[in-house]
Amino acid sequence: MAVRMLLVINKSGGLIYHRSFEGDVDKGLNSNDYLILASILHGSFAIATQLTPKALQLSQSSSKNIDYTVPYIPYVGMPRGRTSSERSKYGASAPQGKLGSFKGDDFFKESFQSWNRSGVRQLCTDQFTMYIYQTMTGLKFVVACSQGTLSPANPSSSNNIFNIHVADNFLRKIYCLYSDYVMKDPFYSLEMPIKSTLFDKKVKQMVDNLV
Amino acid sequence: MSAPAQSKSLKAIGEDTWKNKTEKVNAELFTLTYGAIVSQLCADYDRDFQKVNNHLFSMGYNIGVRLVEDFLARTALPRCENMVKTSEMISKCAFKIFLNMTPQVTNWSSEKDAFSLMLDENPLSDFVELPMDAMKQLWYSNVLSGVLKGALEMVQLDCDVWFVSDILKGDPQTELRIKLNKVLKDEVPIGED
Amino acid sequence: MAIYSFWIFDKHCNCIFDREWTLISNSASGTINSKQTEETAKLLYGMIYSLRSVTQKLSRDDTANDVRSISIGKYRIHTYCTASGLWFVLLSDYKQASYAHVLQYIHSHIYVKYVTHNILSPYDFAANENETRGQGFRKIGNRNFISSLEAFLAPMIAQ
């Protein structure tokens, strides 16, 4: 249920952000290893698009409308205590404060289409589950969570489509944070590593809210 | 569950996002800031308005390549199949969300790869009157053409964007023309069919 | 519930068996060990290999961290890797969460029984040095193996 790691990969496959959230540091994974990791993920993502099985190709070409909608799952990564009674406990100001340039209590409130149609979406291993969200501009957000799920409501199987949807919601919010704190930083050069303390802070807040 | 773009029209998405989902800033402050930029540029370039136009365009380009991420994160709209859809999305969603205006889409070319946006109101040039020497050469809102070019390039559409006419120059209306050169097929992110 | 294809890879990076069902829910359709699937086999092997190396790098406490499944687009790849270097790979849709028990059964009851315990069938499908590192071409042709595999998987495809 806990987020272990977040990676952001630019459209050429270079790593521009990586962050570990676990207390224990991974044994000797230096920044070079992370770069290699990012490019392997980028490459496998590309290979995956060519592996669609024949049966699926045949059925897809016949039916034109395939549903790639990701439903909106409320308050993923948003602070708890949304009811009025709990809010009065915290006082008048919401614990999170404003969401940058997004008005309201959540970044978005409707379901959306996934831009990731034939690339890798989820990778389940013994110890963790990794989710990938790709934007229309080629940016990839990768999150690895320790075994269990992203949602506390489903502890049994981590191989559920629901978990992929929760991850998509979460990573889209990280994308919103990126569009605010990284894109609007005039001193940030495109495609370069992200060095923004505001972005780090907001990401940590959102990850903490997820547990 | 039907796709959101079908169940809710682009116009409604634009309106809803502008009204309820974006923090706003004072319009006069915005107009004054932009005016200060243009006048300072004119002073810096010694009133060589061609250079000022180019500089405004490159400023707009840098804004556009970043602004598109904000637009995509905020709306998560699917890729447009053709230029008609793109033009609608630009005028009904993008302009609405960022500038609270909806320019009209007209003057389609025969191959449907070029169109014009008629801006009936322009928040950048509220209260502005150009001096005589600027009126002949300066495209005051040229930053908008740069923004559109940069943003479209990030979604793999190589376009030319330029102003055809401007009210500030004495023309009857402000017209911005967008022409698609080509779709950058090899840059489309892998995984989108 | 649909199963799209089934593959076995050995420790020499060769695909030693593949079965593809080309029509959904039709267990009689498709190909066995066809030449056309060689490209796909290589891509599949490469992708699983890279993702396995990623996950092994990210494992902690030195406990084994093996890839269980990869979800891509509208299908899912399930893998079962044995310590002897054999990989059993199944491509399916999203309906069933895990095929680990299926793959384990195929390994322990079908592969071991008909291939490993069969003295007359090679246990190592690379006959010489030239057939290692992905250059091999020998496949499992054992009729008993194929028929019991079909019998085992057919009910799952037809559902």
Side-chain angles (χ1 to χ4, degrees):
Chain A
M1 254 185 313
V3 171
R4 270 180 70 172
M5 182 185 72
L6 177 70
L7 294 176
V8 181
I9 303 175
N10 68 15
K11 56 183 167 196
S12 357
L15 183 67
I16 59 177
Y17 186 75
H18 79 83
R19 185 104 175 264
S20 298
F21 293 99
E22 304 265 80
D24 57 322
V25 183
D26 312 90
K27 41 170 185 87
L29 262 181
N30 56 28
S31 50
N32 215 25
D33 289 330
Y34 278 111
L35 280 169
I36 298 176
L37 217 98
S39 49
I40 293 178
L41 279 174
H42 180 82
S44 328
F45 192 91
I47 298 177
T49 61
Q50 306 197 22
L51 285 175
T52 316
K54 281 207 192 76
L56 207 52
Q57 279 171 7
L58 292 171
S59 70
Q60 269 176 4
S61 53
S62 51
S63 67
K64 280 290 152 191
N65 295 341
I66 306 171
D67 193 18
Y68 289 103
T69 313
V70 177
Y72 167 62
I73 297 167
Y75 300 127
V76 170
M78 295 288 117
R80 306 288 169 80
R82 291 272 130 201
T83 62
S84 49
S85 56
E86 287 187 67
R87 195 174 289 163
S88 59
K89 215 175 18 169
Y90 286 125
S93 58
Q96 170 132 330
K98 290 181 4 153
L99 297 173
S101 67
F102 293 83
K103 196 162 137 188
D105 56 357
D106 203 354
F107 289 95
F108 54 89
K109 287 216 162 123
E110 53 305 303
S111 59
F112 55 98
Q113 293 267 312
S114 167
W115 288 305
N116 184 357
R117 303 215 163 163
S118 53
V120 179
R121 297 179 80 180
Q122 180 193 46
L123 172 68
C124 288
T125 71
D126 293 329
Q127 286 179 14
F128 60 82
T129 314
M130 192 183 267
Y131 299 91
I132 304 186
Y133 175 80
Q134 178 171 255
T135 71
M136 208 201 278
T137 48
L139 203 61
K140 279 182 261 307
F141 291 87
V142 181
V143 67
C145 321
S146 2
Q147 201 50 295
T149 69
L150 264 189
S151 140
N154 219 336
S156 51
S157 150
S158 59
N159 238 354
N160 227 319
I161 298 199
F162 180 74
N163 302 327
I164 301 184
H165 290 156
V166 171
D168 271 345
N169 272 269
F170 177 70
L171 288 171
R172 184 177 159 195
K173 291 183 192 186
I174 303 280
Y175 182 39
C176 292
L177 288 177
Y178 169 87
S179 78
D180 259 351
Y181 294 102
V182 180
M183 287 287 102
K184 293 178 187 146
D185 176 2
F187 301 109
Y188 170 72
S189 344
L190 286 183
E191 314 284 313
M192 289 287 118
I194 297 174
K195 301 235 182 287
S196 161
T197 43
L198 279 174
F199 182 65
D200 288 341
K201 198 171 86 168
K202 293 287 170 183
V203 164
K204 182 90 174 57
Q205 244 176 15
M206 194 168 276
V207 164
D208 288 340
N209 284 333
L210 206 56
V211 174
Chain B
M1 198 191 295
S2 58
Q6 290 163 9
S7 57
K8 232 174 141 192
S9 69
L10 283 177
K11 188 151 175 257
I13 295 176
E15 287 263 358
D16 177 51
T17 314
W18 175 77
K19 213 182 246 174
N20 303 326
K21 306 257 175 62
T22 49
E23 294 289 349
K24 320 255 186 325
V25 77
N26 184 299
E28 275 83 32
L29 178 63
F30 182 61
T31 309
L32 285 173
T33 310
Y34 185 67
I37 292 176
V38 178
S39 64
Q40 188 61 46
L41 275 179
C42 294
D44 287 343
Y45 279 122
D46 251 346
R47 305 195 76 81
D48 180 348
F49 295 111
Q50 210 34 54
K51 284 204 187 130
V52 176
N53 286 337
N54 293 340
H55 200 101
L56 284 173
F57 188 87
S58 61
M59 279 170 62
Y61 182 85
N62 287 328
I63 295 176
V65 298
R66 294 155 180 265
L67 201 63
V68 70
E69 306 270 12
D70 186 288
F71 179 71
L72 290 174
R74 215 176 276 274
T75 58
L77 288 166
R79 189 175 285 276
C80 298
E81 296 99 31
N82 49 40
M83 279 310 272
V84 178
K85 206 82 208 303
T86 308
S87 70
E88 272 181 27
M89 209 174 270
I90 294 176
S91 86
K92 292 190 180 134
C93 278
F95 268 93
K96 180 73 187 169
I97 292 175
F98 293 116
L99 291 174
N100 191 23
M101 54 188 274
T102 315
Q104 264 199 317
V105 178
T106 52
N107 282 354
W108 278 101
S109 71
S110 46
E111 297 102 32
K112 292 276 179 202
D113 64 350
F115 60 94
S116 289
L117 289 169
M118 301 300 193
L119 285 71
D120 7 299
E121 42 158 359
N122 188 354
L124 291 174
S125 60
D126 280 340
F127 322 125
V128 173
E129 217 177 79
L130 289 182
M132 287 307 291
D133 56 346
M135 260 181 98
K136 296 196 190 59
Q137 292 178 15
L138 179 67
W139 293 112
Y140 186 81
S141 315
N142 213 26
V143 78
L144 286 181
S145 21
V147 169
L148 281 171
K149 175 151 172 76
L152 289 169
E153 201 169 288
M154 288 294 277
V155 285
Q156 298 93 33
L157 293 172
D158 177 19
C159 293
D160 280 336
V161 187
W162 70 99
F163 270 96
V164 177
S165 60
D166 194 349
I167 285 188
L168 294 178
K169 280 187 156 198
D171 302 318
Q173 71 231 336
T174 311
E175 184 180 336
L176 180 61
R177 191 138 182 90
I178 300 173
K179 178 174 182 313
L180 175 69
N181 291 334
K182 59 182 178 134
V183 178
L184 301 164
K185 277 256 148 65
D186 6 317
E187 288 182 32
V188 174
I190 307 173
E192 279 191 63
D193 295 326
Chain C
M1 171 165 71
I3 296 185
Y4 300 124
S5 52
F6 173 72
W7 314 73
I8 306 182
F9 297 94
D10 70 356
K11 64 176 186 260
H12 297 295
C13 318
N14 297 326
C15 173
I16 56 178
F17 184 76
D18 68 82
R19 171 76 169 102
E20 186 154 19
W21 287 273
T22 45
L23 295 172
I24 299 182
S25 302
N26 186 346
S27 54
S29 70
T31 59
I32 305 181
N33 288 336
S34 136
K35 272 232 172 300
Q36 291 166 336
T37 52
E38 271 174 23
E39 278 300 311
T40 317
K42 292 206 200 315
L43 284 175
L44 191 59
Y45 184 89
M47 192 174 84
I48 298 178
Y49 181 81
S50 346
L51 291 176
R52 267 190 105 213
S53 67
V54 162
T55 57
Q56 271 157 5
K57 262 201 201 130
L58 287 174
S59 77
R60 50 183 158 142
D61 307 335
D62 287 328
T63 48
N65 192 14
D66 224 352
V67 175
R68 292 283 168 205
S69 75
I70 307 165
S71 311
I72 300 174
K74 287 290 174 192
Y75 65 95
R76 192 170 258 156
I77 299 179
H78 303 263
T79 58
Y80 175 70
C81 308
T82 67
S84 53
L86 278 173
W87 295 359
F88 292 84
V89 179
L90 190 78
L91 270 70
S92 76
D93 66 359
Y94 280 111
K95 292 215 187 75
Q96 184 161 319
S98 166
Y99 280 89
H101 52 290
V102 168
L103 292 170
Q104 236 167 345
Y105 182 88
I106 294 179
H107 169 57
S108 49
H109 289 84
I110 303 182
Y111 181 84
V112 164
K113 188 165 165 196
Y114 293 109
V115 179
T116 321
H117 285 169
N118 182 0
I119 300 294
L120 296 173
S121 142
Y123 73 92
D124 188 345
F125 284 82
N128 52 46
E129 194 53 39
N130 294 340
E131 289 171 28
T132 59
R133 288 189 294 275
Q135 305 292 331
F137 50 87
R138 292 176 210 283
K139 313 261 184 184
I140 302 177
N142 195 319
R143 280 191 312 276
N144 283 335
F145 173 81
I146 296 175
S147 55
S148 63
L149 185 71
E150 295 282 335
F152 178 63
L153 286 178
M156 290 183 226
I157 299 165
Q159 276 179 27

